[in-house]
Amino acid sequence: MFRSVVGLLLALLALTSPVRGEEATPLQSPDYVGSATCAGCHQDVTARWQTSDHAKAWTEATAENIVADFNDTTFAHDGMTAAFHIDGDGTYRITVTEKDGTTRDYPVHSVAGIEPLQQYLLETEPGRLQSFDVVWDTKKQRWFHLYPDQDLPPNDGLHWTGPYKNWNGRCAVCHSTGYEKNYDPQTKRYASTEVEIGVGCEACHGPGSAHVASAKEWDAKGSAPLPNAGFAVDFSDPETTIQQCAGCHSRREPLQAGSPAPGTPYHDAYNLSLLMPGLYHADGQVQDEVYVYGSFLQSKMYEKGVSCTDCHEPHTMQLVAEGNAVCTQCHSPAGNPAFPSLRQAEYDSPDHHFHEPGNSGAACKNCHMVEHVYMGNDWRADHSFRIPRPDLSAKTGSPDACTTCHSDRPPAWAASVIAEHYPDSDHRGPHYGEIFAESRSDPAGTTSDLSALAADPKTAGIVRATALAYLGQSGNPALADQASPLLADEDPLVRASAVDLQRLLPPQERADRLVPLLSDPARTVRIAAARAMLDVPMQALASDASDDLRRAMDDWQTSMASRLDYPETHLQLAGIALTRRDWPAATAAFREVVDMDPQRVEAWVMLTRIAAALQGPTNARTVLDEALQANPTDPTLNALKHQMGPR
């Protein structure tokens, strides 16, 4: 079965061996030297970094690092029991009795995080690390379950031993330095490596051997240092800084295995999630755990050139000042010469916020950076820095900052109070959240507004890209023509979404329009173009375009191959196989999905339908019975069973 999936990836997606042409001999890349080497010269910076969450993002399972109570404590939840203890040799262990009665004892492999919770990683088979769902609350000093409302038996894909809680594939790259996943899809085993666990100096600055050599030469001979001190990342550039932080602080799909080289442009390394249902509220406020970048891109702060390090000290990760002083370093009567367009005014005053000083309502972040709790007790702020709009709540269904605190009051009350305080405000006009809210239920009925939003250069790129994504759901080919100028937009997010919209066109017309995008500077755009041209016959293209298509397909192949431990990837492979009418490969890919995650009902439905078409109703019912055994109450599967009738 698996050979069919590999064949699909390597043969169908790549089409033929990519044409690479003449390539220059690459310069020798710098090597990692480790944070301990950096500490030899940069002692003050190292001391600050050692106190940070970055340094403690992933640590060894030692008494110094583990803060939880392992002194024969237990935690029980929904039929599962975890017992925490320490062996005579000092090994920290967790004995887990699952809902099905099976018991297994695990040594704690390593530790994730330090506050407000600490999580423990268990090696369930050689090389495979899983994030255990029972974690330690460092503030309340107690054990708790991350998902107390979910029924998670061992055969559920969301169980702590399942693919979505796998540390190697889902988490380690952002908790380590110089990480390589090294997943073998044939054995389904990991042989992961890293330069060091934890986010060390070189995770952000890049490998340091050239810097070290340059520094030694400077001391010995007084020769000129290398550009940017021998590092790959130039943190003097705000956009470079933002993109370097965004690599981990975003909800995204990786385009390559392991750690991208620091300094890699974001859109060469990742495909950023847009403002879609389940991730963001209709107005762009955070909903699921989307981290920071997608929010920040919506903000006026980002538009005006504010960088992460304007507010966060990069080595301690702490704010650069206490409380409102972070904001008033710019938002004050004195302003900030680095941002000359900023209105100079008094903001940290009851005349602005209409709350008593010291009251929670007087804190800038409580109105402009509403916090949400993730992972049980971890409060994180929305970085879109939005002005409260309770007047939009009835239209968008989104929460608002005012009634987050004044929970006994409706949004209409909050809207009237703001209107009273700011009767002449110019911040109560139309908002893209109104369009998105309507588009979520009726994308075909909002195409005019979506098209105008997508074409508006004053609107944030992530918003415009989301508008294009909704237009793609309309099924109207005329919209692809209308949006074609956006294929040349300066924002890679917009270009990639505009490419996806062209899939509404017939293959040849689509190909004529997308050929230039196959050599786009951003890998995420090239991959979007390759996807959109999957059904375009190679012979329909000129020779140079065929070469570009092969190269773009190679990008796509590399991206897919880096995520073969994801059920989502095999769903994509199945879709490719369906496009090419390769039924054995589609069956193999869908089967791989349900082997990894038996709750992926969409894969079961397709397996049943393919079996019905190729093997007859008896075989289809056998597949459906297997699906129902894993998902006995699922309405879609039960409806399909009813449609198929008795045996």
Side-chain angles (χ1 to χ4, degrees):
M1 175 192 70
F2 185 74
R3 289 180 180 176
S4 296
V5 177
V6 171
L8 175 66
L9 178 63
L10 300 182
L12 299 183
L13 189 55
L15 300 179
T16 63
S17 297
V19 175
R20 300 186 182 277
E22 295 294 326
E23 295 183 1
T25 302
L27 296 175
Q28 183 175 356
S29 298
D31 296 322
Y32 288 95
V33 298
S35 297
T37 299
C38 306
C41 293
H42 303 282
Q43 296 176 2
D44 291 343
V45 169
T46 300
R48 295 201 299 272
W49 165 76
Q50 287 173 335
T51 68
S52 72
D53 287 355
H54 273 171
K56 299 175 182 179
W58 187 8
T59 56
E60 296 178 350
T62 64
E64 180 183 6
N65 294 327
I66 292 178
V67 300
D69 186 356
F70 273 75
N71 294 313
D72 297 322
T73 56
T74 60
F75 178 86
H77 170 71
D78 193 30
M80 180 276 298
T81 301
F84 305 88
H85 52 103
I86 307 173
D87 275 356
D89 64 359
T91 301
Y92 288 77
R93 308 188 74 89
I94 304 176
T95 303
V96 184
T97 301
E98 300 287 5
K99 292 179 68 171
D100 62 3
T102 58
T103 298
R104 184 174 172 184
D105 183 69
Y106 302 90
V108 175
H109 177 278
S110 47
V111 182
I114 186 62
E115 61 178 3
L117 70 151
Q118 190 173 75
Q119 191 167 24
Y120 303 98
L121 310 181
L122 308 182
E123 191 172 23
T124 57
E125 61 183 49
R128 180 182 291 268
L129 300 181
Q130 299 289 141
S131 307
F132 192 48
D133 278 349
V134 179
V135 301
W136 182 254
D137 187 321
T138 61
K139 294 185 176 179
K140 295 183 179 180
Q141 295 289 292
R142 64 179 180 88
W143 295 104
F144 72 96
H145 199 286
L146 287 174
Y147 310 98
D149 300 326
Q150 297 183 18
D151 178 22
L152 299 175
N155 66 342
D156 194 295
L158 290 171
H159 186 260
W160 72 270
T161 59
Y164 307 107
K165 311 294 175 60
N166 172 255
W167 180 262
N168 309 70
R170 303 278 176 169
C171 314
V173 69
C174 285
H175 287 254
S176 63
T177 305
Y179 180 75
E180 295 295 335
K181 180 167 60 175
N182 295 330
Y183 175 73
D184 185 337
Q186 293 186 322
T187 64
K188 301 183 182 179
R189 293 292 181 99
Y190 294 92
S192 304
T193 62
E194 62 281 327
V195 172
E196 59 184 289
I197 62 174
V199 181
C201 310
E202 293 164 295
C204 300
H205 291 278
S209 64
H211 171 74
V212 171
S214 175
K216 289 179 179 178
E217 189 170 341
W218 175 264
D219 288 341
K221 302 178 181 178
S223 57
L226 293 173
N228 199 36
F231 284 117
V233 186
D234 179 7
F235 283 107
S236 66
D237 176 56
E239 182 61 26
T240 298
T241 300
I242 292 167
Q243 290 195 24
Q244 184 60 35
C245 298
C248 286
H249 295 275
S250 61
R251 182 74 169 256
R252 77 290 188 277
E253 177 185 73
L255 301 180
Q256 60 191 78
S259 300
T264 301
Y266 183 91
H267 300 288
D268 270 358
Y270 306 105
N271 184 30
L272 180 66
S273 297
L274 300 180
L275 311 180
M276 303 306 288
L279 299 181
Y280 295 86
H281 292 289
D283 65 352
Q285 291 187 70
V286 298
Q287 182 177 0
D288 200 8
E289 193 172 10
V290 292
Y291 310 102
V292 173
Y293 188 45
S295 299
F296 189 53
L297 290 178
Q298 301 173 61
S299 71
K300 291 291 184 183
M301 299 279 199
Y302 176 75
E303 179 187 332
K304 297 299 183 180
V306 174
S307 173
C308 311
T309 52
D310 287 315
C311 300
H312 299 271
E313 203 286 322
H315 295 107
T316 65
M317 296 180 61
Q318 300 300 312
L319 293 170
V320 297
E322 293 289 332
N324 287 354
V326 177
C327 305
T328 57
Q329 64 178 326
C330 296
H331 296 276
S332 70
N336 186 326
F339 306 104
S341 65
L342 182 66
R343 176 174 172 263
Q344 297 176 356
E346 182 67 66
Y347 291 93
D348 191 9
S349 162
D351 290 336
H352 174 71
H353 52 64
F354 300 97
H355 289 80
E356 290 294 325
N359 181 282
S360 61
C364 306
K365 68 182 181 66
N366 287 341
C367 293
H368 300 288
M369 299 181 69
V370 176
E371 292 184 325
H372 302 267
V373 67
Y374 300 102
M375 298 190 74
N377 71 346
D378 191 1
W379 289 89
R380 303 181 197 169
D382 188 320
H383 278 63
S384 55
F385 300 100
R386 61 186 60 236
I387 293 171
R389 292 290 305 269
D391 58 305
L392 293 177
S393 291
K395 299 177 182 178
T396 66
S398 304
D400 72 274
C402 304
T403 58
T404 298
C405 287
H406 299 278
S407 56
D408 59 334
R409 301 278 197 163
W413 165 83
S416 66
V417 171
I418 290 178
E420 180 181 346
H421 287 317
Y422 293 99
D424 300 320
S425 174
D426 57 359
H427 296 299
R428 286 196 292 274
H431 190 275
Y432 53 81
E434 300 170 84
I435 301 172
F436 288 166
E438 189 174 349
S439 299
R440 290 182 172 193
S441 58
D442 182 21
T446 55
T447 55
S448 177
D449 289 335
L450 288 169
S451 295
L453 184 61
D456 184 1
K458 296 181 180 179
T459 298
I462 191 171
V463 176
R464 300 168 63 209
T466 303
L468 288 166
Y470 280 121
L471 286 172
Q473 299 174 14
S474 69
N476 184 354
L479 298 172
D481 284 325
Q482 187 174 336
S484 61
L486 299 180
L487 294 169
D489 195 86
E490 65 179 17
D491 192 318
L493 280 175
V494 175
R495 294 200 302 277
S497 279
V499 166
D500 287 338
L501 183 57
Q502 303 306 308
R503 297 164 82 170
L504 296 174
L505 296 174
Q508 187 61 58
E509 185 178 352
R510 187 189 329 138
D512 293 342
R513 189 168 288 171
L514 294 184
V515 161
L517 281 301
L518 294 170
S519 54
D520 191 273
R523 182 181 284 117
T524 189
V525 179
R526 297 196 299 272
I527 290 175
R531 281 199 312 263
M533 294 180 66
L534 182 64
D535 59 345
V536 175
M538 187 69 70
Q539 59 268 24
L541 303 175
S543 60
D544 56 343
S546 297
D547 291 347
D548 288 341
L549 178 57
R550 291 187 181 98
R551 294 188 183 98
M553 286 286 183
D554 187 39
D555 284 331
W556 189 17
Q557 174 187 326
T558 300
S559 170
M560 300 276 277
S562 74
R563 302 190 306 275
L564 286 173
D565 52 339
Y566 287 20
E568 308 96 299
T569 303
H570 292 277
L571 276 176
Q572 294 177 47
L573 288 169
I576 295 168
L578 291 176
T579 298
R580 302 180 66 85
R581 299 183 179 276
D582 187 336
W583 312 120
T587 299
F590 283 126
R591 178 58 66 175
E592 193 73 16
V593 172
V594 299
D595 284 349
M596 289 183 174
D597 180 1
Q599 284 67 52
R600 296 304 292 246
V601 170
E602 67 272 47
W604 283 117
V605 170
M606 291 307 302
L607 283 170
T608 302
R609 289 177 174 168
I610 293 172
L614 300 182
Q615 300 171 320
T618 300
N619 286 297
R621 290 190 184 95
T622 299
V623 174
L624 183 56
D625 288 344
E626 188 181 358
L628 284 165
Q629 187 174 359
N631 306 276
T633 62
D634 182 79
T636 300
L637 293 175
N638 279 285
L640 185 57
K641 180 180 180 180
H642 178 73
Q643 292 171 13
M644 295 182 68
R647 286 183 179 272

